[in-house]
Amino acid sequence: FSEDNYCTPTYKCTMVRIPMARPGMVYGLRKIKIKPAIPSEEEIYEFGHQLFKAVQLSSECSIVCLIYVERLMEVAKVPLLA
């Protein structure tokens, strides 16, 4: 699992005009690495609360979600590191 697969990449373009060697331009494209911020406990709670409130899910649904997340972590060896 890599967060880079789910984030939109950002690039920096550097252009250099070289009139003496040959007409045209030389450019370089470099990917900018952005480190996502780790959410706090309060932010995670607020996200879950707003999600369940907006979709009008019952409290039993949150328990079923927790069971599926734990199964995913165990079977697929996916660590959740936040």
Side-chain angles (χ1 to χ4, degrees):
F1 176 80
S2 176
E3 289 180 354
D4 293 334
N5 296 335
Y6 301 97
C7 297
T8 304
T10 306
Y11 296 95
K12 181 177 182 177
C13 182
T14 307
M15 301 180 104
V16 179
R17 185 170 173 218
I18 306 173
M20 300 295 266
R22 60 179 179 195
M25 299 185 98
V26 177
Y27 67 94
L29 203 58
R30 184 172 49 115
K31 187 174 181 180
I32 298 173
K33 195 102 165 138
I34 299 173
K35 185 174 182 179
I38 297 174
S40 66
E41 278 186 44
E42 181 67 25
E43 291 171 330
I44 294 170
Y45 172 79
E46 281 300 317
F47 174 78
H49 181 70
Q50 293 297 325
L51 177 68
F52 277 78
K53 186 174 158 185
V55 185
Q56 298 179 351
L57 297 173
S58 64
S59 57
E60 292 86 7
C61 185
S62 63
I63 295 170
V64 172
C65 289
L66 177 62
I67 291 169
Y68 278 113
V69 168
E70 287 178 347
R71 283 185 186 173
L72 175 68
M73 290 170 53
E74 183 180 320
V75 173
K77 306 286 191 259
V78 176
L80 297 180
L81 304 172

